[in-house]
Amino acid sequence: MSVATPQIYKFPPLYTPQTNKLIRKQQLQTWESIILQSCAQLSKWCIGRNGKVYNQATGELLLSIFENEEIQRSCNIEFQQEIWAFMLQNGTALQLKEFEDSNMMAILWESLDSWSSTILEWCETSGKLNQVITIYEICQSDENSSCKFYGMPTSFCLLVLQRLVDCHRATLLKDQGKVVGVKIV
Amino acid sequence: MGQQGSRIKVTEADKAMLQLKMTKDELHRYSRRTENLIGTERAQLKTLCKSLHGKQLKQDNRARLLLKRVHYQERLLEQCSDQIINLETMVQSIEFKLIERQFIDGLQHGNELLKKLNSELSLERVENVMDAAAEQIEIQREVDDALSNAILGSTVNDEIDRELESLDQEVNGDKDTVPRVQDKLDQLPPANKLTEPKVSAPEEEKEPQREAPREEPLLA
C-alpha cells in the first residue's frame, strides 16, 4: 500500500456492512473519502470495480482499495457494489460509457468543472489558446509532466473538455469519427 | 457540437495542423513504447548476466540477441526523436507564420484606419479649428482681465487708496504744517535787516492762512 490512509482504514468493522442505517451511511461516506483520497494521491482517474488500480505501462498492481492485507480484511462484492452506487449517487464517481463493459469507474476527486478550469488555465498560461491541441498532447505530452492533469485518461479528458464546449470555450475536432483534438478559445 | 462549430471556426489550416500534431503524437507514443522495450530488455540482459559468467555469457546466443535488439532499437529511437524534433520545428514555424499573418493583418488594418483619419483631418479644417480656438482663447483672456480689473478697481483699489490716505493724514497730517512754518521762517530775512513795519507783515500773512478755513463756516 503506497498511499497514506486514514486511521479508520485499519478498523476491521469498516469492511463489514453495518446493519444500523445511520452507521451504514457514515460507513459509506468513510469509504467514499478513502477512495477519493487514494486516487488523488496516486493521480489516478480510473479504478476497477473491484477496487484495483494498475500501472498502465507495467501492469503492476498499485492499489487494491477493498483489501487490507495488514488486518486481513476485505469487503465482499455486494458491499463494493453498494459503495459504488453510493458514490455514483453523490456524483463523486462516474460510469464512463467506454468503460461500461470493462468494469472501470471514473473517480472525481476533483469536479469536472474544476478540471476544465485547470485545463483552461493551462491553455492560457502556455499560450495555447486558439490553437489546435490533440487530446494526447494534453494528457501525455512531456512538457505537461508537471501538470496536475498529466496522465489523465483520454475518455476522462473528453468529459472535461465537453464542459468547455458547453460553455462555448472549445470545439472538438474529429478524425475518422473519433475526437482527437480540441481548439480552445 | 454543431452549434459550437459555427461559433468557433475550424479552418483547413486547423485540420492540417491536427494531422501534423497527430503524427507527432504517434511518434511520441512509439518512442515511449520503444523506451519501455529497451528498459525491459536491458533488465532481462542483467538477469541473464547474473546467471551466466565470463565466456559463458559471451557465447550465449540469447544474450547476444538481446544486446543486438537493444542496439537496433536504440538506433530506431534516435531516428524517432530526430523526426519528432523535425515535426516540432515544423509545428512551431507554422504557428509563428500564423502569428506573422496576424501581425501583417493588424498592420494593414492600422494603416487603413490611419488613412481614413488623415483624410478626415484636412488642413483647411485644422486651420479653421485652430483659428476658432485662438479666438476663444482671446475672448477668455479678455473676460479674465475684465473680471480681475473689476474686482481690484471697485473694491480693493479704492479701499487701499482710502486707507492709505487716512494713514497718510494720521501720520503726516500734523507735521504738514510744521515744515511750512519752518520754511516760512527760513524765508524770513535775517532779523538785523528787518524794519519795524515789515515784522508784522509776515505774521499777518500767516494768520489768515491758518484761520481762513475756520472763518469760512463762520462767514457762510
Side-chain angles (χ1 to χ4, degrees):
Chain A
M1 193 85 183
S2 57
V3 289
T5 43
Q7 204 59 40
I8 195 150
Y9 193 66
K10 296 189 187 75
F11 186 58
L14 185 69
Y15 297 81
T16 342
Q18 301 298 310
T19 42
N20 184 315
K21 263 190 181 176
L22 209 67
I23 295 173
R24 175 82 77 101
K25 200 181 172 198
Q26 211 158 28
Q27 196 183 8
L28 289 171
Q29 279 166 353
T30 311
W31 270 112
E32 181 184 29
S33 73
I34 289 173
I35 291 170
L36 291 178
Q37 272 177 34
S38 308
C39 284
Q41 280 176 42
L42 288 168
S43 279
K44 288 287 168 197
W45 287 264
C46 293
I47 187 168
R49 266 189 173 269
N50 51 9
K52 287 179 178 167
V53 178
Y54 295 96
N55 184 329
Q56 279 156 336
T58 56
E60 178 195 356
L61 181 66
L62 289 174
L63 173 70
S64 180
I65 195 114
F66 295 128
E67 291 170 345
N68 193 340
E69 283 178 20
E70 204 180 324
I71 57 164
Q72 294 289 315
R73 285 287 191 285
S74 64
C75 295
N76 62 22
I77 292 189
E78 285 78 27
F79 192 43
Q80 287 176 19
Q81 300 297 348
E82 198 178 332
I83 292 168
W84 289 128
F86 180 74
M87 285 182 74
L88 281 170
Q89 202 184 351
N90 279 1
T92 46
L94 218 57
Q95 178 93 62
L96 292 175
K97 275 180 195 162
E98 288 177 38
F99 290 157
E100 251 165 0
D101 38 21
S102 63
N103 274 333
M104 288 291 262
M105 302 294 288
I107 308 298
L108 299 166
W109 35 278
E110 266 189 43
S111 71
L112 286 178
D113 285 327
S114 151
W115 282 116
S116 66
S117 65
T118 310
I119 287 185
L120 197 61
E121 209 181 303
W122 165 76
C123 279
E124 274 164 8
T125 49
S126 60
K128 291 199 186 291
L129 288 181
N130 217 355
Q131 279 184 9
V132 181
I133 320 165
T134 57
I135 310 287
Y136 182 82
E137 197 180 338
I138 296 174
C139 306
Q140 303 288 331
S141 152
D142 292 332
E143 56 185 302
N144 297 352
S145 54
S146 59
C147 285
K148 220 164 78 180
F149 48 82
Y150 178 75
M152 188 188 272
T154 313
S155 44
F156 192 89
C157 190
L158 283 177
L159 223 59
V160 174
L161 292 173
Q162 192 57 47
R163 287 287 157 128
L164 290 177
V165 173
D166 289 344
C167 55
H168 308 306
R169 288 300 300 265
T171 183
L172 299 174
L173 299 167
K174 284 182 182 178
D175 183 68
Q176 291 162 1
K178 254 179 88 181
V179 177
V180 284
V182 67
K183 190 175 168 185
I184 299 171
V185 290
Chain B
M1 193 188 117
Q3 226 183 358
Q4 281 82 54
S6 59
R7 280 173 195 248
I8 300 164
K9 268 189 200 165
V10 179
T11 58
E12 284 302 310
D14 284 346
K15 277 180 191 162
M17 193 67 145
L18 185 66
Q19 289 295 329
L20 206 62
K21 284 204 168 174
M22 274 166 65
T23 323
K24 200 187 99 185
D25 290 348
E26 201 52 56
L27 278 172
H28 190 261
R29 242 176 246 142
Y30 175 78
S31 72
R32 248 196 215 172
R33 212 166 47 225
T34 320
E35 260 170 44
N36 279 337
L37 205 61
I38 290 172
T40 50
E41 276 174 2
R42 279 204 179 278
Q44 276 177 18
L45 203 60
K46 267 185 191 158
T47 51
L48 216 60
C49 255
K50 272 178 195 158
S51 56
L52 305 164
H53 298 284
K55 266 197 173 177
Q56 245 188 329
L57 182 68
K58 277 184 189 170
Q59 282 166 353
D60 190 84
N61 276 337
R62 268 182 307 164
R64 285 180 164 277
L65 182 69
L66 270 176
L67 204 59
K68 264 187 203 163
R69 274 175 65 99
V70 166
H71 279 301
Y72 172 66
Q73 270 152 10
E74 271 175 353
R75 210 166 53 239
L76 278 182
L77 194 64
E78 214 170 288
Q79 282 174 9
C80 184
S81 57
D82 281 349
Q83 283 171 14
I84 287 178
I85 286 171
N86 272 341
L87 277 176
E88 255 169 23
T89 37
M90 180 85 140
V91 166
Q92 269 167 12
S93 51
I94 288 172
E95 275 170 4
F96 187 62
K97 280 282 172 252
L98 284 173
I99 291 166
E100 262 185 345
R101 199 181 65 184
Q102 275 180 7
F103 164 73
I104 293 289
D105 283 352
L107 218 58
Q108 208 174 356
H109 286 312
N111 201 16
E112 273 164 23
L113 188 65
L114 201 64
K115 260 189 211 164
K116 219 173 172 182
L117 286 174
N118 273 336
S119 67
E120 277 174 25
L121 287 173
S122 67
L123 199 61
E124 202 182 322
R125 223 180 118 197
V126 171
E127 271 171 2
N128 281 343
V129 171
M130 291 306 282
D131 284 350
E135 215 169 274
Q136 292 307 314
I137 288 167
E138 186 60 33
I139 289 169
Q140 176 65 37
R141 211 169 52 82
E142 275 167 22
V143 168
D144 281 351
D145 282 354
L147 282 178
S148 60
N149 276 342
I151 291 165
L152 282 176
S154 65
T155 57
V156 183
N157 268 0
D158 282 3
E159 235 163 75
I160 283 175
D161 282 350
R162 234 176 287 141
E163 210 175 326
L164 279 176
E165 231 166 73
S166 67
L167 203 67
D168 189 41
Q169 257 176 13
E170 199 181 303
V171 178
N172 300 328
D174 298 338
K175 283 179 190 170
D176 242 18
T177 52
V178 178
R180 258 188 232 165
V181 175
Q182 195 64 45
D183 287 347
K184 298 277 178 188
L185 285 174
D186 287 346
Q187 282 164 11
L188 289 177
N192 51 356
K193 283 181 187 176
L194 282 176
T195 51
E196 275 291 313
K198 268 185 186 173
V199 175
S200 65
E203 271 177 333
E204 274 175 8
E205 266 181 57
K206 234 199 292 178
E207 269 178 4
Q209 257 190 356
R210 268 195 186 177
E211 279 163 27
R214 279 181 211 163
E215 279 171 36
E216 263 174 32
L218 284 175
L219 285 169

